[in-house]
Amino acid sequence: WYNPNVTDYEFNKTLAEELLDNDYPRGPDGWRFSFVIKAACSTAVVWKANALYMIRDDLRSVGINATIEFNRPIEEGESGDFDDAFFAGWIYDALGPDDLFNMFHSNAYGNWGRYSNATLDTLLEEGRRSFNETERKIDFDRAQEIIVQDLPRIFVYHEHSAVAYNNDFHGRISTPPVNLRFT
């Protein structure tokens, strides 16, 4: 269900500086503004903490005074009780189109930021109802284009995992978490 034609936002510090200069010039202290990232993980989860440090450092490199608050309750993210940003991960067993509905539909339980787009809601609803795979693909491709344009969430990375199924087994066997190193 992945749409390979969606816009891909590459890291471009020069462009970021230019865009920020228009509305957020650097103040006397060198910062454009401050930004808090609340995180539903601890520094003990090294690979998540490292990802957050990288995000913080990239924001600081363009004049945004980013700070991280670790160990925030996941309920803050679920309730939308955060001011600037909330960093969390999730696990879905079957990565499919319903994940888009659950995260981005105006009335979905996983729409933490309370994002709302009537056109997107319609596409997600129609895509869920249709049994025609070609029509569903068109709906979900267009939905992905809207999500990537509006950016209600920014996906930082995707962890790959392998899941094995066999008719002789009941349940699931999967690989252990990948150890990521950031340099």
Side-chain angles (χ1 to χ4, degrees), residues 24 29 31-37 59 63-67 84:
Y24 302 98
D29 59 358
W31 299 118
R32 299 172 186 281
F33 58 87
S34 294
F35 188 82
V36 177
I37 304 169
L59 290 167
I64 299 170
N65 185 18
T67 57
D84 298 326

Side-chain angles (χ1 to χ4, degrees), residues 10 13 25 36 40 49 56 62 71 85 97 102-104 112 121 137 143 157 164 171:
E10 295 292 327
K13 183 178 175 182
V36 177
R56 180 204 58 201
V62 294
N71 299 312
N102 294 333
M103 287 188 286
F104 298 109
W112 292 1
D121 288 348
K137 176 76 171 132
Y157 62 89

Side-chain angles (χ1 to χ4, degrees), residues 46-148:
V46 176
W47 59 275
K48 285 185 180 181
N50 283 343
L52 280 160
Y53 293 137
M54 290 172 54
I55 293 165
R56 180 204 58 201
D57 292 347
D58 283 346
L59 290 167
R60 287 181 174 179
S61 77
V62 294
I64 299 170
N65 185 18
T67 57
I68 303 167
E69 292 180 7
F70 286 98
N71 299 312
R72 303 308 304 183
I74 194 72
E75 292 80 15
E76 287 182 5
E78 292 171 348
S79 68
D81 186 21
F82 53 91
D83 297 325
D84 298 326
F86 196 86
F87 181 90
W90 75 94
I91 298 170
Y92 285 111
D93 287 333
L95 294 174
D98 260 8
D99 295 340
L100 294 179
F101 184 93
N102 294 333
M103 287 188 286
F104 298 109
H105 189 277
S106 296
N107 299 319
Y109 69 88
N111 183 358
W112 292 1
R114 308 299 180 255
Y115 168 71
S116 182
N117 180 312
T119 303
L120 179 64
D121 288 348
T122 300
L123 288 167
L124 294 173
E125 291 164 9
E126 289 174 0
R128 285 181 112 192
R129 280 194 297 267
S130 177
F131 289 101
N132 180 311
E133 209 161 300
T134 302
E135 290 174 6
R136 292 183 80 205
K137 176 76 171 132
I138 291 168
D139 289 338
F140 287 115
D141 278 358
R142 180 67 187 119
Q144 290 174 60
E145 291 166 8
I146 291 170
I147 292 164
V148 171

